[in-house]
Structures are given as C-alpha cells and as structure tokens.
C-alpha cells in the first residue's frame, strides 16, 4: 500500500517536471521576449542589455539548469514586466479562479450525476431522451459560443446580469453557468452509461433476488459500483475545468489565472508563464492523486492490485 | 396444494416469444429437476417468476407462491417473496457477487432483511453459514471480498447467502456449470446435504441428468420454451417417452455401454424468431409425421402419472429392462 503511494508520488513529480521542461523549451523557442517586451523598434544595445539581464544569451541547457536550481530553492523568478515575484502574481489570482471553478465543479457533479443516474434507471422514457439530448448539446457547444450567447441574452437583451468584471456575486453567475454546461453534459452521459452497465450485471440480479427493495438495490449495490468509472471522468474534468477557466475568464474579464496566462503568454513574460504552468500542473496532478486514492476506497480489487505493487 | 404454481407463463424479448406457456407446480419440500438444451428457457422461466428479467421482457400468465400472485401485482408482492420464501442461485457465481462489498456484508444483508438480525448477530451467523457451506477459516474470510474467493467458493458463498433468508424453496440455476468437475461434485453434495438437513424445497436446473437423478424427485424436460415431458425420476429415466427426452437420456454415457451406443440428437435448437409451425422438435425428430409439422402437441397427463406433449411418443415398454434393451442398436 505504502509502496503504491510512493510510486504514485514519484510519477506525480515526474509529470510536473515534464510539464515544466516542455513549457521551458517551447517558450524559449517560440519568440524573443526582449523584442516583444521592448517593442520591435527598441535600440539594439537595450535589447542586448535586456538579454544579458535575464540570461537569455546562455545556451538553453544552462538556462534550464539555472531554472531548475532556483525552483529547487522555491524561487519561481520575477516577472520581466514589473519585476514582482512571479509566484505572488500567480497566487494573487488563484482565489478568483477558485471562485469560478469550485462552484462549477459542484454544479457539474450535483446536476450531471443525478441526471445521468435518473436517465439510466428510466431508460427510454421522456426524461431519458431529454437527458441524452441536453447532454449532447452541452458538450458539443463550445464554451466561447455558450458564453457569448448567455451574455447576449441575459446581459445585453434582458439586462438581468452583468456581462463582465468581478464586483459582486452576480458577476460570477454567467461565467459559472458557461463553464458548467459542458461538464454537466459529459457527466450525465457518462453516469448514464456507467449506471446502465452496472444495472445489467449479475450481482444486481442477485441483490434483487435477495429481496432488497429497489431503492436499496440502487443505492447500496449499483451506485457504489458505478462510482468507480464516474470518479475517473471527474478526475479528467479537473483538467478541462482549468482550460475552461482560460476561455471564460477572457470572455467575462474575470481576473483569474486563466486571464493572467493569456496576458503573460502574449507578453512572453517567461517566469510568470512557467510559474502558472507549474501551479496548473500541480493542481491536475493532485486531482489525479485524489482519484487514485478514491479508487482504492471504492474498489477492493484495485486496492488489492495496489497492495501487490 | 403446491407451493409454487406457474400457469401459462409466457415471455417475449422485443416481440420474440421464448416461453410459450409454461405450467409447472412445485410442492413444499419437493426437489424438482428442470432439464433441456441451452436456450430452451430454463433460466427465463424462473427469472420471470421472480420478476428478475430486464425491463425489455414482456411477461404474462400467472405465478403464485403460497397462493400469492406475483405477475402484474407490483413490486412489493414479488419483493416479499424473494429471498425469504424463494431464493435463487445462479450459473456464474463469481460475477453474481457484488465486487465492492465483503461476503460477510452480502450475507448479513439477507440476515438483517429476513431474520431481523442486527449487524453483530448477523456477522456471527454469517460465519456459521460460511462454515456450514464449507468455507475453511470462515471467521477470518467473512471480511474478504468476492475476488478473494475461487469460483467454487463463490458458489458456496451464494448458497450461504441464499440460506441466510431461510427460504422454503431454492432455485439452483445450473449452480455448477461454471465450475470444474471435482468442485461440481462437491457443490452437488453440499446441495443434497442441505436439502436433507433443512427440508427446503429445490428446483434444480441442470444439463447434468445424472445430478438431476441423484438430487430430484421429479423432472421436467423443456424444449424451445415448452415443457415436453415431466414425471417422477424413476419412470422418466427408465422409460423416456418423448423422442427428445429419449435422445437426452441416450446421450448419457452408461457405465456398461460404449460410445457407439449413444444416439445423438441431430440438428440444432430452433431459433426463437423462426419457430416451426407445429411441434418445435419435429424437424429433428426421427418419429415425426406430416401432422407433427402443422400442429403443436399439448402437454397431456398420461396413465402412469407423467405428462407428455407428443403425437407419436416412444412406445411405453412393459418393464424397465425392456427400455434398456430397446436402446441396443439394431
Ligand atoms: N436478457 C435477454 N434478452 C434477450 N433474450 C434473452 C434474454 N435472456 C434470455 N433470452 C433468450 O431466451 C431464451 C431462453 O434463454 P434461457 O437463458 O432461459 O436459456 P436456458 O435454458 O437457461 O439455457 P442455458 O442452459 O444456456 O442457461 C434464449 O433464446 C435466449 O436467447
Ligand atoms: Mg440458463
């Protein structure tokens, strides 16, 4: 068991390291921060000074080693733009992003799973067909389209809700609604098929043959089994949640890490982008660790496999 | 009066009829065998009786347990019968147990439901039951999960779980098909012993006529969704009268015989979507006449107490020996 977690942890660290390396290399190969930050008409000597100041003239491997060394000392660099520590810029934005993503995830779970389970238990009913149609709609419509439509309807036409900014809780409604839709669709679809699959298993027939009420069969036998595949998809959804935040924060001018990422990338503010990617990668890795841990709790067969590692 | 009484039970899946009116009675404490080729509807009969078929199945007819109607009377009626009056164990023991619950929990569930035990008493009783069905080290293994048991042990756990409800009747649906030969014998032995000790009735569904002969009092032979012959074990084994039954019994290798004495039934079971117009067995039957292809024979009581659905049955021999002689190749 312990071994299992050590392996998982090792894999997690390796994942983060890979993301960091990839980001480092791509960022440095895809454009010169000096000319972007200082402008195309900047005098050559100030560009040279800038490059020397940020160590951009060193060979890539040397820059990379220096980067790793500072990370190991928990130094995440400073912004090339305003010289403040990158980590502060990032952490300052995290609460705003959490204020969108946490409610979104809760809504996705709270609506998507019950809808899917209900549809599975009432197959071929009107409700089932409705859930299938809405969920296809939910995960095929791109979030920027969804966001713009919502703004058009609720902000521009009806004037009920603000279209951007972060001044009150009403400002969060449209962004959260926009982000929730896709995940609800995916979860409903997935919970439905997981539940249908489980309800067809012989052990459900056994539970019924025992004399348990329908309710107990569903709650005590079907749902615990269906939760294993559902948890997997929830783990994946954390990644798409962050991707969704990038889009939605831009549409609604929400000052979270998604918008910071876009601004920093277009400015080639290397330290900030790297720091952001590190935080995002860590969040996803932690989400995956949680999923692995939940697996162990939910399914004794996986627990046994884990112990055998 | 019979304990379970099935009348004109019909089942179809998506418009394809697979049971064509089953009539069957089980007396209290009786052991009844149900035999027939794969796909003839043995499992569906009992799954339909207990309301365990998937939603796409259409069921009609009547099933009563102690006079209580189960078909078309709502969930509560059938839930009141399942487990406590009629329990069922299945063909594939390993996938019939819930993989994420301990076996103790799954047995305990029945004990709480049918015998009103609390968790603690349930656990003690679960250990006793596991011990009774022959799980070694029951007190430790009660907390293990199904994947930690072998197929044969899973079937023992299923049997323990069925016994937990103290049912009057156990439906054992090919309880040994998925197991290897030595384990099969052990499970059959266990079922026979339990029946002797508890006086519980049993419906034993099997391909294994030898096992049916050893365990049951009466046997019903099914073919393509109908019962074609039924009667007490002795006469049925000595003198099968339906050509299909005859073929089945001839297929049992006898200790004194050699392989060339076996008379196999040629051809295959008809597809439920394209059933012959007359007797379903006619296309495979050596004795079939033109009439057999146009009319369906009804199941009729015979003088010797058995029931038979055949226009041209194998002639009744005077004695058991004659039947054996008749089986000799000409
Ligand atoms: N869930 C189902 N959906 C559709 N058809 C089914 C279903 N269950 C059974 N059938 C059909 O009903 C018929 C009877 O099946 P049943 O399982 O009762 O056979 P059986 O006599 O128990 O055979 P076996 O010895 O293989 O268990 C078969 O033609 C089968 O294809
Ligand atoms: Mg069967």
């Amino acid at each position: 068991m312990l071994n299992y977690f050590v392996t998982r942890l090792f894999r997690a660290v390796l994942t983060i390291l890979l993301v960091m390396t990839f980001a480092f290399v791509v960022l440095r190969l895809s454009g010169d921060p000096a000319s972007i930050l200082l402008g195309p008409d900047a005098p050559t000597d100030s560009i040279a000074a800038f490059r020397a100041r940020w160590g951009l003239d060193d060979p890539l491997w040397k820059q990379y080693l220096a980067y790793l060394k500072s990370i190991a000392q928990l130094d995440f660099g400073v912004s090339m733009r305003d010289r403040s520590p990158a980590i502060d810029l990032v952490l300052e934005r995290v609460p705003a992003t959490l204020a969108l993503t946490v409610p979104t995830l809760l809504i996705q779970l709270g609506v998507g799973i019950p809808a899917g389970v209900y549809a599975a238990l009432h197959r071929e009913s009107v409700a089932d067909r409705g859930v299938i149609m809405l969920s296809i709609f939910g995960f095929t419509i791109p979030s920027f389209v969804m966001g713009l439509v919502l703004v058009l309807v609720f902000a521009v036409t009806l004037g009920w809700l603000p279209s951007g900014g972060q001044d009150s809780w009403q400002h969060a409604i449209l962004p959260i609604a926009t982000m929730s839709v896709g995940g609800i669709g995916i979860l409903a679809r997935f919970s439905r098929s997981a539940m249908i699959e489980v309800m067809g298993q012989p052990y459900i027939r056994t539970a019924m043959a025992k004399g348990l009420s329908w309710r107990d069969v569903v709650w005590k036998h079907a749902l615990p089994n269906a939760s294993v595949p559902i948890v997997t998809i929830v783990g994946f959804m954390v990644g798409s949640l962050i991707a969704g935040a990038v889009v939605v924060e831009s549409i609604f001018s929400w000052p979270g890490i998604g918008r910071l990422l876009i601004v920093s990338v277009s400015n080639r503010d290397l330290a900030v982008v790297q720091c952001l990617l590190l935080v995002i990668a860590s969040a996803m890795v932690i989400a995956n660790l949680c999923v692995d841990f939940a697996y162990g709790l939910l399914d004794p067969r996986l627990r046994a496999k884990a112990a055998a590692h | 009066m019979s304990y379970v009484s099935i009348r004109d039970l019909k089942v179809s899946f998506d418009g394809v009829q697979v049971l064509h009116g089953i009539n069957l009675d089980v007396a209290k404490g009786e052991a009844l065998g149900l035999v027939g080729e794969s796909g003839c509807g043995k499992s569906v009969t009992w799954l339909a009786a207990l309301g365990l078929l998937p939603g796409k199945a259409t069921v009609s007819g009547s099933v009563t347990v102690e006079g209580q109607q189960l078909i078309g009377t709502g969930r509560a009626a059938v839930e009141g019968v399942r487990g406590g009056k009629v329990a069922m164990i299945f063909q594939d023991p390993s996938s019939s147990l819930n993989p994420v619950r301990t076996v103790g929990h799954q047995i305990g569930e029945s004990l709480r439901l049918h015998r009103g035990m609390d968790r603690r008493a349930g656990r003690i009783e679960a250990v006793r039951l596991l011990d009774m069905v022959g799980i070694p080290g029951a007190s430790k293994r009660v907390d293990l999960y199904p994947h930690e048991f072998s197929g044969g042990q899973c079937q023992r756990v299923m049997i323990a779980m069925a016994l937990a409800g103290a049912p009057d009747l156990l439906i054992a649906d090919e309880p040994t098909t998925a197991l290897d030969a030595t384990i099969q014998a052990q499970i059959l032995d266990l079922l026979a012993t339990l029946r002797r000790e508890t006086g519980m009735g049993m419906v034993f569904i099997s391909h294994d006529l030898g096992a049916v002969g050893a365990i049951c009092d009466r046997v019903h032979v099914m073919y393509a969704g109908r019962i074609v012959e039924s009667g007490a074990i002795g006469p049925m084994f000595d003198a099968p009268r339906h050509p299909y039954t005859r073929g089945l019994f001839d297929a049992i290798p006898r200790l004194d015989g050699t392989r060339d004495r076996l008379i196999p039934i040629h051809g295959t079971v008809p597809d439920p979507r394209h059933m012959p117009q007359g007797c379903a067995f006619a296309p495979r039957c050596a004795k079939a006449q033109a009439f057999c292809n146009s009319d369906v024979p009804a199941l009729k009581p015979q003088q010797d107490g058995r029931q038979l659905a055949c226009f041209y049955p194998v002639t009744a021999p005077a004695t058991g020996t004659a039947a054996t002689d008749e089986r000799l190749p000409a």
Side-chain angles (χ1 to χ4, degrees):
Chain A
M1 198 70 184
L2 191 68
N3 226 336
Y4 172 72
F5 282 108
V6 172
T7 337
R8 283 297 143 115
L9 216 61
F10 177 75
R11 223 183 281 174
V13 171
L14 198 70
T15 310
I16 294 179
L17 202 68
L18 279 173
V19 170
M20 278 163 49
T21 309
F22 182 76
F24 185 92
V25 173
V26 168
L27 278 173
R28 255 145 259 257
L29 294 182
S30 64
D32 181 10
S35 57
I36 291 175
L37 230 74
L38 302 177
D41 309 325
T44 38
D45 54 337
S46 59
I47 287 191
F50 183 89
R51 295 184 64 89
R53 157 77 180 76
W54 295 101
L56 296 175
D57 290 323
D58 290 337
L60 207 55
W61 63 267
K62 214 166 168 182
Q63 292 185 42
Y64 181 63
L65 284 184
Y67 171 58
L68 284 188
K69 198 170 145 199
S70 52
I71 294 287
Q73 292 160 350
L74 295 183
D75 168 10
F76 299 94
V78 297
S79 163
M80 289 178 178
R81 177 146 268 232
D82 62 7
R83 306 274 161 106
S84 48
I87 189 78
D88 291 353
L89 285 176
V90 173
L91 291 183
E92 187 182 285
R93 299 291 194 99
V94 167
T97 295
L98 287 180
L100 292 188
T101 48
V102 171
T104 298
L105 187 62
L106 293 179
I107 290 173
Q108 289 173 340
L109 297 175
V111 177
I113 296 176
V117 168
Y118 185 87
L121 295 177
H122 299 81
R123 266 183 95 179
E124 321 267 289
S125 68
V126 177
D128 183 24
R129 280 167 221 274
V131 166
I132 294 177
M133 258 172 51
L134 285 176
S135 70
I136 292 176
F137 170 77
F139 68 73
T140 45
I141 189 163
S143 60
F144 69 89
V145 175
M146 186 72 205
L148 293 177
V149 169
L150 288 181
V151 167
L152 215 61
V153 174
F154 292 98
V156 178
T157 310
L158 297 172
W160 291 351
L161 291 164
S163 66
Q166 194 209 8
D167 304 324
S168 69
W169 63 267
Q170 281 100 329
H171 285 82
I173 294 178
L174 288 183
I176 289 174
T178 306
M179 281 175 79
S180 302
V181 170
I184 290 175
I186 293 173
L187 261 181
R189 209 51 215 270
F190 205 82
S191 311
R192 178 180 178 274
S193 54
M195 198 62 185
I196 286 174
E197 156 93 24
V198 166
M199 288 306 288
Q201 294 296 312
Y203 54 78
I204 295 299
R205 195 179 53 195
T206 307
M208 285 167 66
K210 219 182 242 191
L212 290 177
S213 66
W214 178 244
R215 216 189 143 80
D216 281 352
V217 171
V218 170
W219 281 95
K220 296 184 178 164
H221 289 268
L223 283 174
N225 279 284
S227 64
V228 178
I230 293 176
V231 160
T232 314
I233 206 79
V234 172
F236 284 128
M237 279 173 50
V238 172
S240 62
L241 215 52
I242 294 171
V246 174
V247 176
V248 167
E249 285 175 8
S250 305
I251 298 176
F252 293 95
S253 332
W254 188 270
I257 60 169
R259 221 168 57 144
L260 181 63
L261 184 66
I262 294 207
V263 172
S264 313
V265 167
S266 54
N267 286 340
R268 286 293 180 287
D269 198 343
L270 302 184
V272 176
V273 175
Q274 278 163 190
C275 188
L276 271 169
L277 292 177
L278 192 66
V279 168
I280 291 172
S282 309
M284 290 174 66
V285 162
I286 289 170
N288 275 311
L289 281 177
C290 291
V291 166
D292 282 342
F293 187 68
Y295 271 160
L297 288 181
L298 293 171
D299 193 334
R301 287 165 300 180
L302 297 170
R303 198 147 68 220
K305 228 183 267 169
H309 260 273
Chain B
M1 220 207 75
S2 52
Y3 183 70
V4 177
S5 176
I6 298 179
R7 287 291 169 270
D8 199 28
L9 184 67
K10 292 180 178 158
V11 172
S12 28
F13 292 101
D14 302 318
V16 178
Q17 194 170 356
V18 298
L19 283 194
H20 303 265
I22 298 290
N23 294 299
L24 196 155
D25 290 273
V26 189
K28 199 156 188 165
E30 179 188 32
L32 183 82
L34 197 54
V35 301
E37 267 163 301
S38 186
C40 69
K42 306 182 295 294
S43 304
V44 166
T45 301
W46 288 98
L47 292 173
L50 292 176
L52 296 173
L53 286 174
K56 64 176 171 175
T58 320
V59 180
S60 70
S62 145
V63 175
T64 57
V65 174
E66 287 184 318
Q68 156 89 54
Q69 179 61 250
L70 301 188
I71 305 292
T73 46
R75 234 176 234 166
V78 72
E79 278 171 5
V81 163
R82 291 175 188 157
K85 290 183 177 172
V86 182
M88 188 161 178
I89 60 175
F90 301 98
Q91 228 157 318
D92 182 1
S94 304
S95 57
S96 294
L97 288 166
N98 188 336
V100 309
R101 296 271 178 255
T102 64
V103 302
H105 177 97
Q106 294 184 59
I107 297 171
E109 221 169 22
S110 289
L111 292 167
R112 290 199 293 279
L113 194 64
H114 298 294
R115 292 208 241 153
M117 293 186 175
D118 60 14
R119 234 161 247 281
R120 178 186 296 252
R123 204 190 123 92
I124 295 169
E125 176 66 4
V127 171
R128 192 188 72 83
L129 285 168
L130 284 175
D131 200 51
M132 185 163 123
V133 298
I135 299 282
S139 59
K140 291 208 185 65
R141 307 197 68 192
V142 66
D143 293 323
L144 297 185
Y145 291 89
H147 73 269
E148 294 166 283
F149 291 80
S150 69
Q153 286 175 328
C154 282
Q155 195 57 286
R156 289 174 194 269
V157 171
M158 285 291 293
I159 293 171
M161 203 159 86
L163 293 177
D168 300 317
L169 178 66
L170 174 67
I171 316 294
D173 185 2
E174 302 189 42
T176 61
T177 306
L179 309 175
D180 61 46
T182 46
I183 310 292
Q184 283 188 10
Q186 290 172 11
I187 298 285
L188 290 177
D189 206 44
L190 172 66
L191 287 173
T193 313
L194 288 173
R195 196 171 109 67
R196 258 199 317 278
E197 287 173 0
T198 61
M200 166 179 76
M202 194 181 292
V203 171
F204 185 71
I205 301 175
S206 182
H207 293 287
D208 182 351
L209 284 164
V212 169
I215 290 183
C216 301
D217 310 319
R218 282 194 305 141
V219 59
H220 284 59
V221 179
M222 279 184 78
Y223 187 79
R226 285 194 173 84
I227 291 174
V228 294
E229 187 171 8
S230 71
I233 287 287
M236 286 282 284
F237 273 61
D238 285 341
R241 304 230 20 229
H242 195 284
Y244 177 65
T245 317
R246 177 65 199 277
L248 278 185
F249 285 106
D250 277 348
I252 317 174
R254 292 183 176 253
L255 283 179
D256 59 342
T258 49
R259 280 229 149 243
D260 62 14
R261 285 182 64 186
L262 305 182
I263 306 164
I265 306 170
H266 294 288
T268 51
V269 205
D271 183 333
R273 275 164 303 184
H274 309 286
M275 286 294 275
Q277 221 199 342
C279 170
F281 186 61
R284 302 170 76 185
C285 183
K287 296 180 70 77
Q289 312 279 319
F291 187 57
C292 299
N293 289 315
S294 57
D295 279 62
V296 182
L299 189 66
K300 291 200 178 109
Q302 306 293 302
Q303 276 171 352
D304 60 354
R306 82 175 77 194
Q307 297 203 303
L308 181 63
C310 182
F311 296 125
Y312 303 101
V314 180
T315 41
T319 63
T321 0
T324 322
D325 288 343
E326 203 185 64
R327 234 170 254 148
L328 284 168

